[in-house]
Amino acid sequence: MALRKPPLRAIHAERGAKFTEFGGWDMPVEFDSIRTEHAAVREAAGLFDVSHMGEIEVSGPDAADLMQRLTTNDVTDLAPGEAQYSMITDEDGVVLDDTVVYCLPGDGADYLFVPNAGHDEAMHRRWTRHRDEWSMDATVANVTADYAMIALQGPRAADLLAAETEAPVADLSFFEATYATVAGADALVSRTGYTGEDGFELVVPSADAEPVWRAFDCQPCGLGARDTLRIEMGYLLSGEDFDPETDPRTPYEAGVGFTVALDTEFVGRAALEQVASAGPDERLVGFRLLERGVPRHGYDITSTDGMVVGAVTSGTMSPTLDEPIGLGYVPTEYSDPGTAIRVVVRGQQKDARVQTTPFIDRP
Amino acid sequence: MSFDIPDDRRYLESHEWARLEDGTVRIGISDFAQDELGDVVFVEYPEVGDHLDREEVFGVVESIKAVSDLYMPVAGTVEATNDALLDAPELVNEDPYGEGWMLEVAPDDADDLADLLSAEEYREQVL
């Protein structure tokens, strides 16, 4: 099956990007170097094509109910123009995907949620199946192919964006969204991101992607830097830090219990109530390697006695800290910050220490 | 994208280069290889005194994105390793043919270099 291509693919190729497959999409992984791109985001601004992310629109009289019952967080907390991070769980409370849910600006009857790359069709099916099962009056539309998503991230993002729009986007709070004309295109602008820096994510029609992309004169960044930036923050990556098929996890194991509103009705609620009261047996922790090496997905985590107790889910050499860092699951008794563990790198046990995330200082 | 492929040395298909200097063979990876790898963070190499055969794995080069085995271009005994790479692995990216060298070996047979790809042949492979 052919890879899905973002609307901006030709522009990335022209710029000399290297490409990789991700979630069934042909995406730029690196434009110049991961270090250069990463540093640009931490120090100035970087531009990411994140069009591989899905967009599902949910509208109609029962839209809020449908969103409420299929996501863990409390959708009724959202006023129009507000968004929230949430989990999509199955009946056992296992995370199928993590997502940002938007109550779209306007009369508050319409929602948008953003599933991860390659999950849009499955989520669309899930939503429509339940809509029909519950006889709800709601329209669910997979509009992923119609839109491009561009993320502008970094301390200079607000200034760069303000220069391209009349809308007072600098006034948006974190996780707030508005419609605006950006570089001449109709955009949904939200103060969200996956880097830990100030920044914005713009959803624009595919046909307008090019002028919007070209409007921002800053470092283009690929998936390589996107990964190093999010690992420094301890943010989850669907498919790496949890996967319903190969590594099923509840939100409590994955460290995102804050997204679970047990006082709302949603698929998986009963199972999660049990996990919440008993506490999960394993937890995702951050760790830092104390010896030379790079922790990578799948590497064993052992106790200091060399007994395998868990596994790395994400890891990298942190460009900001110049130290190897990672995320992985360990039994709860190993999850306190400061706990000594080891990571097996190509047959060798390397000393490491559990620590809280984010790994970098945030103001 | 054009890569630097100097004529003064020979190459393996797996992107290592080898250059004979005063009876010693110096070994590293090509500009194409460092570009593919991206930011190098570690290089692992053997001990001085180790003997390795042609195409035997002599170490590992690790970047943020990937880990790659390194293959001996010729059979020989390790005489020196570039310890500058311990603190400055980025030398492999910045100067793959100069400061980014990895090993110096005493070849079992200096004529073995003739079995490697010439710069022209390697150029055809990567371009």
Side-chain angles (χ1 to χ4, degrees), chain A residues 330-360:
Chain A
V330 294
T332 298
E333 58 266 31
Y334 287 86
S335 64
D336 287 334
T339 305
I341 54 172
R342 291 201 176 138
V343 176
V344 183
V345 180
R346 292 191 293 284
Q348 293 195 303
Q349 290 180 23
K350 308 266 185 182
D351 287 328
R353 184 170 298 135
V354 173
Q355 67 166 86
T356 56
T357 60
F359 291 94
I360 54 172

Side-chain angles (χ1 to χ4, degrees), chain A residues 138-166:
Chain A
T139 310
V140 184
N142 181 354
V143 293
T144 302
D146 302 330
Y147 290 103
M149 190 185 296
I150 292 169
L152 177 62
Q153 302 279 308
R156 295 206 52 230
D159 287 342
L160 287 171
L161 183 57
E164 296 301 324
T165 181
E166 302 275 305

Side-chain angles (χ1 to χ4, degrees), chain A residues 189-209:
Chain A
V189 178
S190 62
R191 203 156 199 163
T192 49
Y194 194 47
T195 62
E197 298 302 321
D198 185 26
F200 302 83
E201 291 176 313
L202 314 175
V203 180
V204 299
S206 300
D208 296 325

Side-chain angles (χ1 to χ4, degrees), chain A residues 25-38:
Chain A
W25 289 75
D26 189 24
M27 296 300 290
V29 65
E30 213 173 343
F31 285 88
D32 295 311
S33 83
I34 291 177
R35 282 191 185 277
T36 302
E37 295 163 35
H38 183 111

Side-chain angles (χ1 to χ4, degrees), chain B residues 9 17 26-30 34 40 43 45 58 61 70 81-85 88-103:
Chain B
R9 58 202 70 206
W17 56 259
R26 200 170 248 212
I27 294 166
I29 64 171
S30 71
Q34 71 73 22
V40 173
V43 184
Y45 33 60
F58 72 79
V61 58
L70 296 162
T81 57
N82 186 0
D83 292 340
L85 300 183
E90 63 274 11
L91 288 171
V92 175
N93 298 114
E94 289 164 12
D95 192 11
Y97 298 113
E99 301 288 312
W101 67 274
M102 293 178 180
L103 285 193

Side-chain angles (χ1 to χ4, degrees), chain A residues 198-272:
Chain A
D198 185 26
F200 302 83
E201 291 176 313
L202 314 175
V203 180
V204 299
S206 300
D208 296 325
E210 182 173 344
V212 175
W213 179 265
R214 292 203 189 280
F216 300 105
D217 184 19
C218 62
Q219 175 69 49
C221 302
L223 294 184
R226 186 165 163 82
D227 199 40
T228 50
L229 288 159
R230 68 97 188 170
I231 292 177
E232 285 185 347
M233 290 304 296
Y235 293 160
L236 301 174
L237 178 56
S238 180
E240 291 287 289
D241 302 308
F242 60 83
D243 184 305
E245 312 274 315
T246 58
D247 195 9
R249 298 288 173 184
T250 65
Y252 297 107
E253 288 175 279
V256 288
F258 67 89
T259 64
V260 181
L262 288 173
D263 55 348
T264 68
E265 188 52 55
F266 61 87
V267 174
R269 196 202 70 78
L272 288 179

